[in-house]
Amino acid sequence: MSSTAGAPTGGDVLKAPNVIEYPFSRTTGPVIGAFMTGMREGIIVGIKGADGRVIVPPQEYDPVTAEELTEIVEVGDAGVVTTWCWVNEPLTDQPLDRPFAWAMIRLDGADTDLVHAVDTDGDQAVMATGMRVKARWLPARPADVDTEADGGTSAGSDDSGYRVGHILDIACFEPEGVPE
Amino acid sequence: MSDVTLPASLQGVEPVKSIRTPARLDYVYTAGRASSRFLHNVANKRLVGQRCPVCHKVYVPPRGSCPTDGVPTEEDVELAHTGTVTSFCVVNVAFMGTLMEIPYVGALILLDGSDIPIMHLIQEVPYDQVHSGMRVEAVWVPDDEIGPTLESIRHFRPNGEPDASFESYKDNA
């Protein structure tokens, strides 16, 4: 843990910013690990449920029968918005620093929805249930870039700007058909 | 758990086994009247505690009331810049955000005239020579850096006096 106290301000009664950070990391296990490995490799994977449905992100146990699931399958990195919520004032550490949508996205080949941000250049009128969106990936990390340069305090990926094995290796989704 | 089967695109690549999930809490701390008065005094290079009217103990930093008797503490008591180490900890583990080189010593220091120790660093002495009963004095930052924060005291250091008797700090040992 670290804590940073800023300079006090004010008159008789003092106030000061006080930030507390916990640099947690967690082990993923093989199933979530496969999803995170896919993020780093620039693909999205789910897992075959007991009834053959594809669950994205993959779960370790079937949500209906509770049996262990093992068959990781690749799905598309584009899909359909099934529902969404507009964010007028993004918070620090959210994926975008301008107004955007949190959306449930039914990826091609998936039978469940993935939550992610959709960037429409701040234009809410572009958002619609049923619209097609595709992932905007961070670039792959070049072989000569150190993977451990970051102290591990940043939210999301490691701030390197490259894919590291994190949900924010997808910077966001964007309407399909937007030119690169 | 049984082994998972991977699609071709994930076979033969190094698996991700852990992810970073940092948490951050962003507060504005309001010191309150008692602590603010204490810190304003620190900014003037003074250490001022408060005495309980019932048990007569002197608290530093004062919180405005006595935790034992539940009454307001209103009598200010100016304290010396010297004190006695009641207890200490040699820190051998570097943690995120620390500026200190390890090993270093954090100690509870009973300022002369007070009845509860404050926590601060002991420097200018090898870490393995710090001990309970050691007499220490405050080392302040340069005057132009002093402000309403306990960091205005850079650290404590031995002041050369003989050790205090156990009797003098036994209530805080």
Side-chain angles (χ1 to χ4, degrees), chain B residues 128-169:
Chain B
D128 55 0
Q129 289 182 23
V130 176
H131 55 273
S132 294
M134 179 179 251
R135 295 285 296 157
V136 293
E137 64 187 5
V139 177
W140 294 76
V141 299
D143 282 354
D144 59 354
E145 293 174 24
I146 287 181
T149 160
L150 259 189
E151 289 172 11
S152 295
I153 297 177
R154 181 175 282 155
H155 55 257
F156 282 76
R157 68 180 172 204
N159 69 350
E161 291 176 15
D163 283 359
S165 68
F166 178 70
E167 200 62 19
S168 68
Y169 64 91

Side-chain angles (χ1 to χ4, degrees), chain A residues 67-156:
Chain A
E67 64 195 277
E68 274 190 34
L69 302 177
T70 60
E71 189 183 349
I72 305 281
V73 294
E74 188 171 341
V75 298
D77 70 351
V80 174
V81 170
T82 60
T83 188
W84 53 280
C85 170
W86 190 250
V87 179
N88 277 307
E89 296 176 17
L91 302 174
T92 309
D93 291 340
Q94 285 189 334
L96 294 160
D97 58 8
R98 54 185 165 181
F100 69 98
W102 286 120
M104 302 282 280
I105 300 162
R106 182 71 53 96
L107 294 168
D108 298 336
D111 295 295
T112 65
D113 299 333
L114 176 79
V115 177
H116 216 297
V118 175
D119 181 16
T120 58
D121 279 333
D123 185 359
Q124 184 179 348
V126 174
M127 285 304 300
T129 297
M131 73 186 289
R132 298 251 336 145
V133 292
K134 66 169 191 220
R136 182 193 298 161
W137 294 93
L138 298 180
R141 185 189 298 276
D144 58 351
V145 172
D146 182 9
T147 58
E148 298 298 331
D150 174 70
T153 62
S154 52

